[in-house]
Amino acid sequence: MFYVVARFVIRPLLWVLLRPRVTGRENVPLDGPVILASNHLSFIDSIVIPTVAPRRVALLAKAEYFTGRGISGWFTRTLFTALGAHPVERETHRAAQAALDTALGVLHSGLAFGLYPEGTRSRDGRLARGKTGVAWLALTADCPVVPVAVRGTDRVQPVDARWPRPHRVAVTFGRPMTFPAHRGQAGKGRARREVTDAIMLEIAALSGQEKAGWGATPGAPG
C-alpha cells in the first residue's frame, strides 16, 4: 500500500521536474525474477529507475539512508522504504556477499531486482568495468538480465551535490539477456567475467558512455 501511494506521489512529481524520456519498457518482463543492470551516474538513479519501470523494482541502498535524522533523514528513509529498497551495510565484514544474498532472496521470490554492476557512481561520466556480482546473481538465480542506461541524472544531482535540480533525463531498457552457455557456472570466475563483460557491453551501447578501466576485454571494441 505504501508503495502504491508513493508511486502516485513520486511519479507525477518526477514527470514534472525531470520530464523523463523512457524507451524499451516493453523489454522488461512483467513477471518472474529479472535483474535490471544499469549504469550509475547519480544518487537520483535509484529513484528514477523504480519510478519509470513497468513493474516494482527492489534495490539496495546504503544503511545510512534509513538512519538519518531531521526532516531530510525522515524524507530519505520514507522515500526508500516506499520504493522497496533494502538497507545494506557497505563497510562491514562480508558486506558484499550479504548484499548479494539479499538480492538473491528477492529474485527467488520472483521479483525484479535493480543493481549497478560498476559498484559505485561514476565521477567522470565514463563507464567502469563491471564487478562480477551481477553475473553470480544471474547464473545462480538462472534469470534474465535487462541492461539499462540512464542519461542526464548526473545533471540533476551531480556527485556530492546535496539537492537535485530540474533537468531532463532519459532511461532506456534494453532487450533481456540470457546466458545458456554459462548455466550452472556461477562458481567459475571466467564464466562470471564473461557474463559481466557481455552485460556491460550492452549497457555501454545503450548509454553511449566511454569505457574506463576495462583493459583488454575480449570481444570489446575500442
Side-chain angles (χ1 to χ4, degrees):
M1 181 64 180
F2 202 6
Y3 172 76
V4 173
V5 173
R7 290 275 290 196
F8 276 108
V9 174
I10 296 171
R11 190 167 186 174
L13 184 62
L14 190 79
W15 246 259
V16 170
L17 296 177
L18 308 183
R19 297 175 293 135
R21 183 171 61 250
V22 185
T23 56
R25 280 166 53 97
E26 69 280 2
N27 289 324
V28 180
L30 296 182
D31 52 52
V34 62
I35 296 169
L36 305 186
S38 177
N39 62 329
H40 196 14
L41 299 175
S42 168
F43 162 86
I44 206 81
D45 298 338
S46 297
I47 299 172
V48 171
I49 293 172
T51 305
V52 304
R55 61 182 290 189
R56 186 170 185 174
V57 179
L59 299 119
L60 297 178
K62 292 189 298 184
E64 301 94 281
Y65 293 154
F66 295 85
T67 58
R69 297 182 178 182
I71 295 176
S72 62
W74 172 85
F75 176 78
T76 303
R77 181 170 59 254
T78 301
L79 177 63
F80 278 101
T81 299
L83 290 175
H86 296 258
V88 60
E89 299 284 350
R90 299 183 65 181
E91 305 299 332
T92 60
H93 181 61
R94 291 192 70 254
Q97 187 58 51
L100 289 174
D101 290 342
T102 297
L104 189 61
V106 171
L107 294 170
H108 280 166
S109 298
L111 305 177
F113 190 84
L115 55 73
Y116 308 109
E118 294 169 275
T120 189
R121 285 173 284 178
S122 172
R123 288 187 170 270
D124 59 9
R126 297 188 297 171
L127 185 70
R129 195 178 192 189
K131 300 181 184 300
T132 60
V134 63
W136 182 87
L137 271 179
L139 297 176
T140 302
D142 194 20
C143 69
V145 176
V146 172
V148 182
V150 293
R151 297 183 297 281
T153 54
D154 52 336
R155 301 290 296 276
V156 175
Q157 189 168 13
V159 175
D160 297 330
R162 186 169 184 179
W163 298 106
R165 56 196 178 206
H167 189 278
R168 189 163 198 180
V169 302
V171 182
T172 302
F173 297 97
R175 293 183 179 180
M177 304 174 69
T178 56
F179 309 95
H182 297 87
R183 183 169 288 122
Q185 299 182 41
K188 296 182 178 181
R190 179 168 181 169
R192 293 197 303 271
R193 173 45 61 194
E194 289 177 351
V195 168
T196 300
D197 286 346
I199 294 168
M200 296 306 296
L201 283 171
E202 288 299 314
I203 294 174
L206 294 173
S207 70
Q209 289 170 277
E210 177 186 349
K211 300 187 287 294
W214 286 38
T217 305

